Amino acid sequence: QYMNVSPASATMMLKRLAALGLVEHLPYQGVKCTERGETVAVELLRKHRLIERLLVDFLELPWDGVHDLACKLEHYISLDVANRIGKKMGNPLTCPHGNPVDATFDDGSFRLSETEQNMGYEVVKVTDEREEFLTYIMDIGLVPGARLVILERTPFGDVLNIQVAGNSKPLAVGKEVATAIFVKPSVGLATE
C-alpha cells in the first residue's frame, strides 16, 4: 500500500528476487534476504544515501525532493563511484534524513512513538522519505537535530502532544508521524 503496488505485482517481484537468489520467499509466511541479498541491499542503500547527501549538500536541492531522484540514480552508479562520492564529501555518516550511510550501523535510536512523557529527546532520523511527508516534517520542525519534550500521550488514538524547541506552540502528532521519526534521549529538556 505504501508504495502503491498491487499484491500480485509484489508477489511476482518476490518470485523474481527468489529466482535470483536474493531472498527466500515462503508464501503466506514472509520474506527474508539471503546473505547475498543482504549484501546487495546494504550496497544499494549506501549508494542511495550518498547520492541524497550529494544532491542536498553539493547541488543544494531541498531535502524533501531528493529521495525519488536518488532512487533512480542509485541503479546507474557503481559502488566504487558511490565510495568516491563519499570520500569527496568527507565520508558523511548519514543521509540528509539522518539514516546511516552504512545500513548495518545501529545508531541506538528508537521511534518517537516509544518515548516517555515528560522526557526530552533529539530527532535522529526520519524513515518515511515521501516528499509530502518530509515537507510536513520540515514545516513542523521535526528534522534531525531538533529537540523536543513529550508533554502528553493521549489514552486513545495514539496521539503525542510535544513541544519542539524553538516553537512557541505545542504540537500534536499521530501514529504515522510518531513511527517514522526516530529519537534519542536528550539531556536538559525534560519537564519538571
Side-chain angles (χ1 to χ4, degrees):
Q1 286 177 329
Y2 172 77
M3 297 183 68
N4 295 319
V5 176
S6 72
S9 294
T11 299
M12 207 161 62
M13 181 54 73
L14 289 173
K15 287 180 181 178
R16 286 177 60 195
L17 292 172
L20 292 169
L22 300 174
V23 299
E24 295 172 357
H25 177 226
L26 298 171
Y28 308 106
Q29 293 185 25
V31 179
K32 181 182 175 189
C33 282
T34 61
E35 189 174 320
R36 181 170 167 247
E38 184 80 22
T39 299
V40 170
V42 167
E43 288 175 356
L44 193 61
L45 280 171
R46 178 174 176 71
K47 291 192 290 185
H48 179 92
R49 291 172 179 170
L50 285 170
I51 291 169
E52 285 182 329
R53 182 56 71 188
L54 175 74
L55 294 171
V56 170
D57 293 354
F58 186 71
L59 297 180
E60 299 178 355
L61 295 177
W63 87 310
D64 53 348
V66 297
H67 176 72
D68 289 340
L69 181 55
C71 282
K72 293 173 184 164
L73 295 174
E74 68 195 20
H75 300 285
Y76 295 102
I77 68 167
S78 67
L79 189 57
D80 180 57
V81 170
N83 290 335
R84 288 172 184 254
I85 290 170
K87 186 176 180 182
K88 285 288 186 186
M89 299 197 69
N91 294 313
L93 298 177
T94 66
C95 76
H97 313 107
N99 296 293
V101 169
D102 176 358
T104 64
F105 177 72
D106 180 3
D107 61 15
S109 64
F110 48 91
R111 295 178 192 279
L112 182 59
S113 60
E114 299 168 358
T115 56
E116 296 180 31
Q117 190 169 320
N118 298 323
M119 296 295 293
Y121 298 94
E122 181 175 336
V123 175
V124 173
K125 63 186 173 190
V126 180
T127 58
D128 185 334
E129 295 186 19
R130 293 175 293 169
E131 185 172 356
E132 59 277 1
F133 187 85
L134 291 172
T135 300
Y136 174 70
I137 293 305
M138 193 156 66
D139 288 347
I140 62 174
L142 283 179
V143 297
R147 295 171 30 158
L148 59 101
V149 175
I150 308 302
L151 301 175
E152 179 185 27
R153 182 180 291 278
T154 61
F156 304 101
D158 296 321
V159 175
L160 293 175
N161 292 309
I162 63 175
Q163 181 68 54
V164 179
N167 291 354
S168 58
K169 295 181 182 178
L171 178 67
V173 296
K175 185 177 182 179
E176 186 174 1
V177 170
T179 57
I181 304 289
F182 282 69
V183 298
K184 282 185 177 178
S186 181
V187 180
L189 289 176
T191 60
E192 300 188 8

